Amino acid sequence: IQRIKGGIHLNVLLNVNFFFSQARKAEEEKKLDALKSHTDRKLDKFKKAQEQARKKKLASDAHSALKALDRCTALVEMECGRGGTCKLQTAAALRSPDCVEAKLEQARRLCEDSGLEGDERAQKVIALLYERRLAEAEAEKHRKAAEQRLAKALEGDTDLSSVAESLQKARSGLESIGATDADPSIVSVKSMEDRLFSLKKERAARAEGEMA
């Protein structure tokens, strides 16, 4: 260190202070990095534990949801042909009040989230939902066809048999998936059936009057 009369040169003193300041700063940053690394490791460990707990709960919830559907999935049977091709028979389950769509959907979602789609009961649930949606779409197609044909009949179209046929297919399709008289689609079909019945009576009475 350079000295002059009266003590250390001011520039030298400033340089020394800067050196020690930088050293302290580097040491503090090192400690902060170590602390951060330790905190990050603890956070990662916590996140992993949290994720494992989440997956464990999802699996538990999925098993509970499937257990609640035991009476439903027991109605789904595996039928295998001579060629070795197997198919799940879902007709009885689809009509059963034990196979509520909301519960089936909840179980499907939980099984998907927890990775239990491969469970035999989960596969039955997925098959039931698939078959149910196909049947709903088919029944709705016939219901709309009946609605259009009935509208034409009310305007004077003489073909009532096609209306009756569409209504019968719509009702059969809805009943095949357990729809009740309170179901909006069944209510709609029933309303059209009543209108068709009245229309047939009106036409029969008119025909009798013309013959008299």
Side-chain angles (χ1 to χ4, degrees):
I1 300 174
Q2 297 178 4
R3 293 179 175 273
I4 59 172
K5 291 181 179 180
I8 300 173
H9 194 283
L10 179 60
N11 289 337
V12 174
L13 181 60
L14 289 174
N15 287 337
V16 170
N17 286 339
F18 178 75
F19 171 78
F20 283 116
S21 173
Q22 290 297 102
R24 282 196 304 271
K25 185 177 179 182
E27 185 65 23
E28 288 172 0
E29 287 178 352
K30 187 177 179 181
K31 288 179 180 179
L32 283 172
D33 287 342
L35 180 61
K36 184 179 179 183
S37 178
H38 177 67
T39 303
D40 287 345
R41 285 197 299 272
K42 287 183 69 176
L43 184 59
D44 287 343
K45 187 176 180 180
F46 171 74
K47 285 182 177 179
K48 286 178 182 178
Q50 193 176 44
E51 180 63 14
Q52 288 175 349
R54 187 186 73 85
K55 288 182 177 179
K56 187 176 180 180
K57 185 177 187 308
L58 278 174
S60 176
D61 290 346
H63 282 297
S64 296
L66 290 173
K67 180 67 178 174
L69 287 167
D70 275 350
R71 291 177 64 180
C72 169
T73 52
L75 296 171
V76 181
E77 297 180 351
M78 182 74 76
E79 185 178 276
C80 297
R82 291 181 179 179
T85 303
C86 298
K87 184 180 179 182
L88 291 174
Q89 298 299 316
T90 58
L94 287 171
R95 290 192 300 269
S96 173
D98 292 320
C99 297
V100 178
E101 183 178 10
K103 291 184 178 180
L104 289 170
E105 181 56 40
Q106 180 189 37
R108 182 206 63 77
R109 180 178 52 78
L110 286 169
C111 287
E112 183 179 291
D113 291 345
S114 61
L116 290 177
E117 304 101 312
D119 186 289
E120 182 181 344
R121 293 170 301 170
Q123 290 180 352
K124 289 181 176 182
V125 166
I126 292 168
L128 280 171
L129 284 168
Y130 175 74
E131 294 289 345
R132 183 183 185 87
R133 281 160 190 170
L134 281 181
E136 283 177 343
E138 189 69 11
E140 180 60 12
K141 181 182 75 174
H142 290 303
R143 192 196 68 78
K144 285 186 175 180
E147 197 171 53
Q148 292 170 356
R149 288 167 180 168
L150 181 59
K152 289 181 179 179
L154 291 170
E155 291 173 358
D157 192 330
T158 57
D159 181 20
L160 299 182
S161 61
S162 62
V163 182
E165 182 182 357
S166 293
L167 285 172
Q168 192 276 327
K169 287 180 179 178
R171 177 176 281 280
S172 295
L174 291 167
E175 289 177 348
S176 74
I177 54 174
T180 65
D181 290 342
D183 187 284
S185 294
I186 287 284
V187 171
S188 174
V189 168
K190 178 67 168 60
S191 174
M192 286 189 281
E193 287 171 340
D194 291 343
R195 287 161 67 191
L196 178 61
F197 179 74
S198 297
L199 186 57
K200 284 181 177 179
K201 281 184 66 175
E202 289 173 11
R203 290 190 179 182
R206 190 184 307 133
E208 286 181 8
E210 290 173 354
M211 291 176 63

